Amino acid sequence: MHLLSASCVCALLTITTTALLRQVAGLETVSGLYGETLEIPCHNGATKEEDIVITKWKYDKGEGISGDLLVKQPSKNAVIMATDEYKDRVSMTANSSLLLSAAKLTDQRTFTCMVVAPENIMEYPINVMIYKSPEGLEISDQAEALEIGKLTKLGTCVAKDASPAANITWLKNNKPLMADGEGISIQTSVLLDPVTGLSTTASTLEYSAKKEDTDAQFTCSTQPTVGSELVSSPVTLTITYSTENIVLQVIAQDPLEEGDNVTLKCVADGNPAPTSFNFHLQGEMVKVEDSNTYTIRNVSRETSGEYKCSLTDDPSMEASKDITVNYLDINLSPSGNIVERVGEALPLTLKIDSSGESKVFWTKDNIMLDKEPKFTALTYSDSGSYECEVTMGLLSRKASFDLNVEGAPVIKQLSKQRSEDAQHKVLICEAEGSPKPAVSWSINGTLLDESPFINGKITHKIKVVPSANLTVSCTVSNEFGIDTRAINVSSYQLDDSDQTKLVVGVVVGLLIATLVIGLGYWVYTKKSKQGSWKTGEKENGSSEEEKKLEEKVEENSQKAEV
């Protein structure tokens, strides 16, 4: 231990005995963290360093007793005066601050820095506070499950070794829980370590769960005086409750048809869920263990009806469901390949047996019909492939028949026309019949065209160059009969139509000539009369000429009439 020089001691005593002004600065507080080095400032620049003669640190032991820590003179090392636990933990910085290592809760006291100047002594008391955050938050003694409506201990949140004691908050889904005396109870206790002075806080939560608490996360948190908030790991507990509702589900393809399988599933809202059920199957009860399903295989229309399931330990709690097995049967008469004679009737019958309302659609040769076909008197155009489709919801059934109408051929029309080049005649024979009739002519001609055989109809065209008037026959035949029709064909130089045109032309020409002659006569007569008036001749002087002209006009008129 270093001793102060005699001159310093004398100076200190002199200052003290001469009762120089002694000032005590206001009390300040410095905070530190447990276990770390704490720096306690001295005068914070209130006294110039060059004016300081002696700097001394001391601490309050309590009951008005102080203990010296260390003292320092300018340009010399600090002298440690402490003989207790502080002797190895204190030191002084260049600006006279006190360094206190490995801070403890017992360091929470007043430390005083005394500064001696030539004409004054100043004291700067500093109050020290030591803080420590909990080592962590942990939820222990967790419950295995929570029962709805029953206040149950959820767990205990522990915050170890803190100063001051931790204040714990419980949270559900990050929302604080407050004790309400009913569904939430929180009990807190604090244990103080006599050696370290640190506190351990334990907070126990009792909670009455609700259904909606399933999958809820419970945590606890604390906000230390120094540092950031601490939050525990989340805890998720199983929520148990008895069954309140039961539902029967039907698992099957849609629509459910005969031959399919259907599974009945009984779903209860209890937790844990029931593991055994009774299935009521049209008067029969089947008990199922360790499962909530029952499968009915190869269902039929007789399977339709009401089905139920219930709890084995509470048969009064049951659920029901109606099952409908859809079926759609159709019978079309006639069917297959149908051959009928033209003109006859063909009855058509479609029988439908279904579990619901159905719709019927008809097509002929893949073309949609607007109504069901009726065959009261078959025609060749009725031939074709017919199909009916009956639907009921998503179910569909089809039936079809191919109709072939047969009969002896009949010539519907036999006609002629002049070709565009006026060099030959075109004869056209239109006929109906089935099978396809063969067409022949009584005259050799060149085949121009034969139409496709559609709906029992065929058209046959030939060209001929007749050198004289003649009668031409068209004959059609098949296995059921024969038909012939004739037509008169004149030579291409002058046929009946040409003669008619010639007569009409002559008559028209004579009429025009008569009109021209009449007009000329009228003009001539008028001029003749004017001339006689001028010359003074008698009007009858030209009677002979007038008579001749009249005879000429009458002759032309007679020719026109002929």
Side-chain angles (χ1 to χ4, degrees):
M1 182 178 67
H2 300 281
L3 298 177
L4 294 176
S5 64
S7 59
C8 290
V9 175
C10 292
L12 182 58
L13 293 175
T14 302
I15 293 172
T16 303
T17 56
T18 57
L20 295 176
L21 179 62
R22 186 169 183 248
Q23 300 177 0
V24 178
L27 190 63
E28 296 182 13
T29 299
V30 173
S31 299
L33 296 179
Y34 184 87
E36 298 184 5
T37 298
L38 173 66
E39 181 177 349
I40 306 172
C42 182
H43 52 79
N44 288 327
T47 304
K48 296 180 180 180
E49 291 294 333
E50 59 270 20
D51 295 337
I52 298 176
V53 177
I54 296 175
T55 301
K56 180 181 178 182
W57 277 96
K58 58 184 178 178
Y59 68 97
D60 184 10
K61 288 186 174 184
E63 297 181 357
I65 303 173
S66 63
D68 295 333
L69 293 175
L70 69 172
V71 64
K72 184 179 182 301
Q73 299 179 42
S75 302
K76 292 185 179 181
N77 294 329
V79 178
I80 297 176
M81 304 175 66
T83 58
D84 51 16
E85 60 167 333
Y86 287 112
K87 67 178 180 178
D88 296 323
R89 295 174 54 210
V90 294
S91 61
M92 190 183 298
T93 65
N95 63 355
S96 301
S97 294
L98 176 64
L99 293 178
L100 183 60
S101 65
K104 303 176 181 180
L105 294 185
T106 53
D107 295 330
Q108 296 187 120
R109 59 181 76 205
T110 301
F111 290 82
T112 302
C113 178
M114 185 177 67
V115 178
V116 179
E119 298 180 353
N120 196 4
I121 296 178
M122 294 293 293
E123 288 190 349
Y124 300 95
I126 306 295
N127 188 40
V128 171
M129 295 297 296
I130 303 300
Y131 299 104
K132 184 180 183 301
S133 297
E135 293 182 357
L137 287 180
E138 180 182 356
I139 299 178
S140 59
D141 299 332
Q142 298 178 20
E144 293 184 358
L146 297 179
E147 185 176 350
I148 287 183
K150 181 178 180 180
L151 197 63
T152 306
K153 178 182 176 181
L154 186 147
T156 300
C157 181
V158 179
K160 295 181 179 180
D161 298 335
S163 179
N167 184 21
I168 295 176
T169 300
W170 282 93
L171 305 98
K172 184 185 76 172
N173 295 332
N174 296 323
K175 293 182 179 180
L177 294 174
M178 303 296 294
D180 58 9
E182 296 180 358
I184 301 175
S185 174
I186 300 175
Q187 302 293 329
T188 303
S189 62
V190 179
L191 180 63
L192 183 66
D193 189 322
V195 177
T196 62
L198 297 175
S199 300
T200 296
T201 303
S203 177
T204 300
L205 171 64
E206 292 182 331
Y207 188 77
S208 178
K210 305 179 182 62
K211 249 183 194 179
E212 54 267 27
D213 291 327
T214 301
D215 299 326
Q217 291 188 338
F218 292 88
T219 56
C220 59
S221 69
T222 184
Q223 178 62 63
T225 304
V226 178
S228 59
E229 181 183 25
L230 298 178
V231 181
S232 70
S233 298
V235 171
T236 301
L237 300 177
T238 300
I239 309 299
T240 62
Y241 45 88
S242 58
T243 299
E244 297 178 354
N245 298 287
I246 187 172
V247 176
L248 178 60
Q249 298 177 350
V250 176
I251 304 172
Q253 69 175 23
D254 186 21
L256 176 62
E257 301 181 56
E258 291 184 304
D260 292 341
N261 297 335
V262 59
T263 298
L264 305 178
K265 184 176 182 179
C266 205
V267 180
D269 63 355
N271 192 25
T275 58
S276 60
F277 297 90
N278 292 326
F279 288 91
H280 305 265
L281 314 173
Q282 294 182 329
E284 177 188 3
M285 188 185 75
V286 177
K287 183 177 181 180
V288 176
E289 298 283 353
D290 299 324
S291 178
N292 64 343
T293 62
Y294 181 83
T295 299
I296 306 174
R297 303 187 182 278
N298 193 25
V299 298
S300 64
R301 61 192 66 185
E302 288 76 21
T303 308
S304 298
E306 183 184 36
Y307 291 79
K308 296 181 180 181
C309 73
S310 62
L311 300 180
T312 55
D313 57 354
D314 185 4
S316 64
M317 185 167 291
E318 65 177 14
S320 63
K321 197 80 170 181
D322 288 329
I323 294 179
T324 299
V325 179
N326 296 279
Y327 59 90
L328 177 60
D329 299 330
I330 65 173
N331 184 13
L332 177 63
S333 178
S335 61
N337 294 319
I338 309 299
V339 179
E340 296 289 340
R341 295 296 297 272
V342 66
E344 295 182 353
L346 177 63
L348 189 64
T349 304
L350 175 63
K351 295 181 180 180
I352 302 174
D353 184 16
S354 64
S355 57
E357 184 178 355
S358 61
K359 296 180 180 180
V360 181
F361 304 92
W362 283 92
T363 61
K364 177 189 176 185
D365 297 329
N366 297 322
I367 298 176
M368 184 68 70
L369 301 178
D370 57 358
K371 60 182 179 180
E372 178 181 326
K374 300 292 183 182
F375 306 112
T376 55
L378 289 171
T379 64
Y380 294 114
S381 61
D382 289 330
S383 296
S385 295
Y386 292 84
E387 181 180 77
C388 72
E389 181 180 10
V390 183
T391 63
M392 185 191 69
L394 298 177
L395 290 182
S396 175
R397 299 288 186 269
K398 293 181 179 180
S400 63
F401 64 90
D402 292 326
L403 175 60
N404 185 18
V405 180
E406 296 181 339
V410 176
I411 295 176
K412 307 299 291 185
Q413 184 176 359
L414 180 60
S415 60
K416 62 183 177 180
Q417 64 184 28
R418 185 185 292 273
S419 65
E420 294 181 358
D421 58 5
Q423 297 299 314
H424 57 270
K425 300 292 181 67
V426 177
L427 305 183
I428 305 172
C429 187
E430 300 178 31
E432 285 185 346
S434 182
K436 178 183 177 181
V439 181
S440 62
W441 297 85
S442 62
I443 187 174
N444 292 329
T446 303
L447 178 63
L448 288 179
D449 180 51
E450 180 178 295
S451 67
F453 182 65
I454 300 176
N455 293 331
K457 295 181 179 181
I458 187 172
T459 300
H460 205 269
K461 295 181 182 180
I462 64 171
K463 69 176 180 179
V464 296
V465 185
S467 59
N469 297 340
L470 68 155
T471 300
V472 178
S473 298
C474 176
T475 301
V476 293
S477 62
N478 64 12
E479 60 187 83
F480 294 104
I482 187 172
D483 189 22
T484 300
R485 184 178 292 191
I487 188 171
N488 293 325
V489 180
S490 59
S491 63
Y492 74 88
Q493 290 87 350
L494 188 65
D495 58 13
D496 294 340
S497 62
D498 293 338
Q499 293 176 358
T500 302
K501 293 178 182 178
L502 179 59
V503 173
V504 172
V506 172
V507 172
V508 173
L510 290 174
L511 290 175
I512 293 174
T514 301
L515 291 174
V516 170
I517 294 172
L519 180 60
Y521 173 74
W522 177 79
V523 173
Y524 172 79
T525 302
K526 186 175 181 181
K527 288 183 178 180
S528 297
K529 289 181 179 181
Q530 291 176 350
S532 63
W533 292 337
K534 291 179 182 180
T535 59
E537 295 179 353
K538 295 181 179 180
E539 294 180 3
N540 57 6
S542 59
S543 59
E544 293 181 359
E545 295 177 355
E546 291 178 356
K547 185 176 181 180
K548 291 180 179 180
L549 185 59
E550 290 175 354
E551 291 176 354
K552 187 67 174 178
V553 171
E554 183 177 357
E555 181 182 354
N556 291 337
S557 297
Q558 290 176 355
K559 290 181 179 180
E561 292 175 359
V562 173

